[in-house]
Amino acid sequence: MKIKRIVLVCLVIVLYGCKALKNANKEANIAKNVILLISDGTGLSQVSSAFYFKESSPNYSRFKNIGLINTSSSREDVTDSAAGATAFACGVKTYNGAIGVADDSTEVRNLVEISSMKKINTGMIATSSITHATPASFYAHTPNRGSAEIIASHLAQSEVDFFAGGGLQFFNNRKDGRNLLHELTENQFKIDTTSLNDFSTIKSSEKVGYLLAKDAMPTVTKGRGDFLSKATEIAIQFLSKDNSGFFLMSEGSQIDWGGHENNAPYLVSELIDFDDAVGKALDYAEKEGNTLVIVTSDHETGGFTLAAKKKKTEDGEAYSDYSEIGMTFSTTGHSATLIPVFAYGPGSEEFAGVYENTNIFEKILKVTKWGSLE
Ligand code: MG
Ligand code: ZN
């Protein structure tokens, strides 16, 4: 009788333990913070270039959950960055050129607006102008990506708490004469147009904005330094300071521009720089355990390949030298190839598989519950 009771008690303890563990796992699958790193114009060959040309091991190799997305826009097989980013930010397929609006030009709620309802802190970083198509799609609504001044005014009125990039002229040298730097300051922002500061100097600020170039930031080869990594690191520190959860979008904008120029050294230097920023996000996520890191791209640019180098023998006969890579391009535009998605942290298994670019938005909301009414 006694033994029976002991066995029963043990069974209850084991069952209760299992349930607690199950609940803990359930909690573990909810991401408190999301860092979405977008490398504009990056297909698998661009990613692969880090494995051949980066001196240290690429941070891409730290992911275990990998997926593929179809990036076509609502009207075109080949997307542009506006429709591509709107798919991530708002979860809708729209036409090329559209920023935060649906195919019928009506405004669609973006991740910044949705997460801010839950008091989530939000940040935007780009190596282009901060008003460029990719970051713009996360905080602005306009039928035309070229409206940089409208986009800048939307940023000033948005819920974004931290931003860093170029584009100063769209804030302080505008056709309408408005000085958005004043408006941003009135809206609790500490604005800096000279350089990134350490976290300790911005810690007590309500919101922080860096506008460090008139238009785009310089290229890596022309002295941008570690801007992208450093801004990503500072943004993480700033957005996590009150522990309420955060959403950060950080973009390597110029990998795309290297592709458009068919300039392999430009492309690869920008990709390696982006991979460094991925490392910063992963270091934080590994340490904290509650942060989902997603790395993907809006589309591929240049039809880039890591082909065996074309050479000629002494007799003038062409051959491919398999011992050397000769980077080549097939277009100066974008391509429609499927794009890889790399995910790490709670909910990252959701990002395995083959799906549409709009599902990135849905999956983020699913694993964070930012869209729920609770
Ligand atoms: Mg972009
Ligand atoms: Zn492009």
Side-chain angles (χ1 to χ4, degrees), residues 18 45 60 88 97 106 113 121 129 134 136 155-156 209 212 216 267 281 291 316 337 340 348 364:
C18 282
S45 291
Y60 279 108
F88 298 151
T106 53
E113 289 157 350
N121 297 321
S129 154
T134 312
L155 179 60
L212 304 182
L267 186 161
T291 302
T337 182
S348 58
I364 289 174

Side-chain angles (χ1 to χ4, degrees), residues 38-41 81-82 85 126 128 132-135 145 251-254 256-257 298-299:
I38 301 177
S39 50
D40 201 313
S81 294
S128 59
H132 215 264
T134 312
R145 63 180 285 172
E251 187 200 21
S253 318
Q254 300 194 30
D256 174 64
W257 300 351
D298 46 3
H299 55 76

Side-chain angles (χ1 to χ4, degrees), residues 26-227:
K26 230 172 147 186
E27 282 302 311
N29 269 332
I30 295 174
K32 179 176 183 183
N33 312 310
V34 175
I35 306 173
L36 173 60
L37 295 125
I38 301 177
S39 50
D40 201 313
T42 299
L44 203 48
S45 291
Q46 281 86 344
V47 171
S48 307
S49 72
F51 288 76
Y52 294 97
F53 301 109
K54 189 168 183 179
E55 277 164 16
S56 52
S57 173
N59 289 300
Y60 279 108
S61 60
R62 295 164 68 179
F63 292 94
K64 293 197 172 58
N65 289 310
I66 320 288
L68 287 172
I69 47 169
N70 172 30
T71 64
S72 298
S73 60
S74 62
R75 301 181 196 173
E76 295 93 351
D77 288 336
V78 182
T79 189
D80 81 333
S81 294
T86 299
F88 298 151
C90 308
V92 295
K93 293 268 186 188
T94 188
Y95 59 90
N96 287 355
I99 302 285
V101 298
D103 186 69
D104 62 2
S105 292
T106 53
E107 293 185 5
V108 206
R109 279 208 305 170
N110 56 47
L111 282 174
V112 166
E113 289 157 350
I114 295 167
S115 62
S116 295
M117 303 272 287
K118 292 264 166 85
K119 301 264 182 286
I120 300 297
N121 297 321
T122 59
M124 294 290 132
I125 299 167
T127 56
S128 59
S129 154
I130 200 69
T131 59
H132 215 264
T134 312
S137 301
F138 286 85
Y139 62 78
H141 304 278
T142 171
N144 178 2
R145 63 180 285 172
S147 321
E149 293 190 0
I150 294 174
I151 293 167
S153 69
H154 287 192
L155 179 60
Q157 293 151 16
S158 75
E159 296 285 347
V160 171
D161 301 289
F162 178 103
F163 65 85
L168 178 62
Q169 60 178 342
F170 307 118
F171 294 81
N172 69 355
N173 189 18
R174 299 164 56 89
K175 288 187 197 79
D176 63 8
R178 268 166 79 185
N179 188 338
L180 295 186
L181 299 187
H182 293 156
E183 293 180 31
L184 281 161
T185 310
E186 274 164 24
N187 189 15
Q188 314 282 304
F189 268 95
K190 177 187 159 70
I191 299 292
D192 196 312
T193 59
T194 54
S195 62
L196 293 174
N197 309 107
D198 288 331
F199 173 60
S200 57
T201 65
I202 56 168
K203 203 174 173 178
S204 57
S205 303
E206 187 75 16
K207 302 176 189 180
V208 175
Y210 291 99
L211 291 165
L212 304 182
K214 221 174 111 190
D215 194 350
M217 295 293 291
T219 64
V220 165
T221 53
K222 291 210 174 110
R224 195 171 73 235
D226 63 351
F227 163 80

